Amino acid sequence: MLIEFQVSNFRSFRTSQTLSMVAASFAEHTGTNTFDSKLRGFGQVLRSAALYGPNAAGKTNLLLALQFMQGMILQSASAGPTTDPPYAPFKLSKATRAAPTEFRITFVQGGVRYEYGFSNDAKRVRKEWLMEYVHPRGRAIFERTYIDRGEKYQWSFSSFLKGRRSVWSEATRPNALFLSTAAQLNSKQLLPVFEWFQKRLVVIVGASKLNPTLTLQLLDKPNGRRRLMPFIREADLGIADITVTREPLPAGDSVAIIGGGFIEQTPNSQVRNLVKITFSHLDDEAKPVLLGLADESAGTQIFFSTAGAWLNVFANGEIILIDEIDTSLHPLLIKYLISKFHSNSTNPRNAQLVFTTHNTSLLTQEMFRRDQIWFVEKDNNGSTRLYSLTDFKPRSDEVLERWYLRGRYGALPILKEPSGGTEEIAAKL
């Protein structure tokens, strides 16, 4: 469960900005769009959040910030001793170009609320800490701070942290996180925190895609087809059935999409198969018509390829953040996916979805609560500001799409007229 994410001095984020998944106190869509956190001191948590804003305003950078944090946690312990840590500060101000970037996240793993964060510059991790809230007051599990005057780290450990703390701290290099190092060195107490980033958090940005092999693996399982086909049919793609065939191929790339199928490599071997997907549609006489993957629309191909991954998110209660969810997917398919997150029957483990989009048809109070809609825009200094629709207190009958496009909520592109004016330019043509 993701509760809150905060970032500062990263890419377009100069000042600290916070995305909160804590539901506000109003009652709209409480039974579907929120779920009980089961935490003392917390109420309902949001199942989804949508981010709007113009191009280059910072929507993608918010997801990149969480992906950056995840990458540091999963990879920093294995980085070379002389490798500088990754670093991407806000560069449009002299004051921030060499200042630390900071990340802070609050989440739940195994019924325990954690707050974890770190800051780093181009040379080292400057600070790192972990709070554990078994009780509402919380307790500091560890804290690490770099002291410039002595050029060394100051460490603080709670008596609740068991294990070889001195060994783990001595093994932690300046370019690595203590959490990563301790988890790699078999800290049973910190491993669940590490595994939340490893197994519960999915960030899809840029060229990275949801894995198509998960759909194929689901079809291969005894009950997989029973899970997959209702999901496909409910999406109204006109698909009645799916057939998978495999033909052996020489060794090569592990996974790729080619023509009418996939190249699939068997795990732990050099055996490769050309996997062909055949879809059965019913004609006007209810007789099956077979079409290959290449004959289907781009949207159908993407939906089929990612269906296994979506179902995996629901099955494991994962948190998925996806950039430009509307790419190659029809708005009705996006609404269908969102409705699955907002359903107690299809989302019993309370998976969460955070996505960026330009699709204003989703901006309705019939689909979202006000606290689920977020905006990003840049100020005059090029710094991104993140804020929620709750800042505007819209009426319950307010048509959100109309007023967003009219500029009431900000976060719209500013289209400047070319110098000389439109009429002057037209006269020169």
Side-chain angles (χ1 to χ4, degrees), residues 160-226:
F160 295 101
L161 180 60
K162 308 301 182 182
R164 302 182 297 169
R165 297 176 297 186
S166 60
V167 173
W168 300 334
S169 60
E170 289 174 6
T172 303
R173 296 188 300 270
N175 63 350
L177 296 172
F178 175 76
L179 172 63
S180 311
T181 306
Q184 192 177 69
L185 296 177
N186 301 318
S187 169
K188 293 181 180 180
Q189 193 172 346
L190 296 180
L191 186 59
V193 179
F194 180 88
E195 287 185 335
W196 186 86
F197 292 93
Q198 182 184 48
K199 298 180 179 180
R200 287 285 181 265
L201 185 63
V202 181
V203 185
I204 308 297
V205 182
S208 59
K209 302 293 181 184
L210 290 168
N211 196 337
T213 60
L214 291 174
T215 303
L216 299 176
Q217 291 171 5
L218 194 60
L219 283 169
D220 291 338
K221 293 179 179 179
N223 296 323
R225 182 177 294 272
R226 190 178 303 173

Side-chain angles (χ1 to χ4, degrees), residues 300-335:
T300 297
Q301 291 183 39
I302 291 173
F303 192 85
F304 166 78
S305 300
T306 60
W310 286 113
L311 289 172
N312 201 50
V313 167
F314 293 126
N316 297 323
E318 296 172 353
I319 301 93
I320 181 168
L321 294 92
I322 184 165
D323 193 31
E324 298 183 355
I325 196 173
D326 38 345
T327 302
S328 299
L329 283 181
H330 191 278
L332 292 180
L333 279 180
I334 300 171
K335 290 182 178 180

Side-chain angles (χ1 to χ4, degrees), residues 92-291:
L92 299 182
S93 170
K94 183 179 179 180
T96 58
R97 286 179 200 141
T101 295
E102 183 169 301
F103 307 89
R104 181 192 303 260
I105 192 166
T106 305
F107 61 95
V108 175
Q109 174 76 318
V112 178
R113 176 164 60 103
Y114 294 97
E115 179 192 300
Y116 172 73
F118 66 85
S119 64
N120 72 278
D121 58 22
K123 293 297 182 182
R124 61 180 55 83
V125 173
R126 303 287 307 189
K127 190 173 182 178
E128 183 185 5
W129 69 95
L130 175 67
M131 294 285 296
E132 179 184 80
Y133 291 84
V134 177
H135 303 290
R137 288 183 59 186
R139 58 196 184 195
I141 300 302
F142 71 82
E143 185 171 346
R144 162 197 185 194
T145 305
Y146 185 76
I147 308 300
D148 287 304
R149 180 175 296 179
E151 296 186 346
K152 63 179 182 179
Y153 286 98
Q154 178 178 299
W155 294 86
S156 174
F157 295 105
S158 166
S159 59
F160 295 101
L161 180 60
K162 308 301 182 182
R164 302 182 297 169
R165 297 176 297 186
S166 60
V167 173
W168 300 334
S169 60
E170 289 174 6
T172 303
R173 296 188 300 270
N175 63 350
L177 296 172
F178 175 76
L179 172 63
S180 311
T181 306
Q184 192 177 69
L185 296 177
N186 301 318
S187 169
K188 293 181 180 180
Q189 193 172 346
L190 296 180
L191 186 59
V193 179
F194 180 88
E195 287 185 335
W196 186 86
F197 292 93
Q198 182 184 48
K199 298 180 179 180
R200 287 285 181 265
L201 185 63
V202 181
V203 185
I204 308 297
V205 182
S208 59
K209 302 293 181 184
L210 290 168
N211 196 337
T213 60
L214 291 174
T215 303
L216 299 176
Q217 291 171 5
L218 194 60
L219 283 169
D220 291 338
K221 293 179 179 179
N223 296 323
R225 182 177 294 272
R226 190 178 303 173
R227 290 177 55 205
L228 179 65
M229 289 312 302
F231 189 70
I232 295 290
R233 291 187 184 119
E234 289 172 13
D236 197 26
L237 302 175
I239 297 171
D241 203 359
I242 300 171
T243 303
V244 179
T245 59
R246 288 176 169 84
E247 300 174 3
L249 288 175
D253 295 338
S254 56
V255 177
I257 299 178
I258 60 167
F262 299 93
I263 294 177
E264 177 187 71
Q265 183 165 316
T266 305
N268 304 319
S269 77
Q270 295 299 312
V271 177
R272 293 196 315 154
N273 295 316
L274 173 60
V275 183
K276 292 186 177 180
I277 316 296
T278 304
F279 299 94
S280 176
H281 296 258
L282 300 181
D283 65 11
D284 55 3
E285 297 180 348
K287 294 181 179 179
V289 176
L290 303 182
L291 298 176

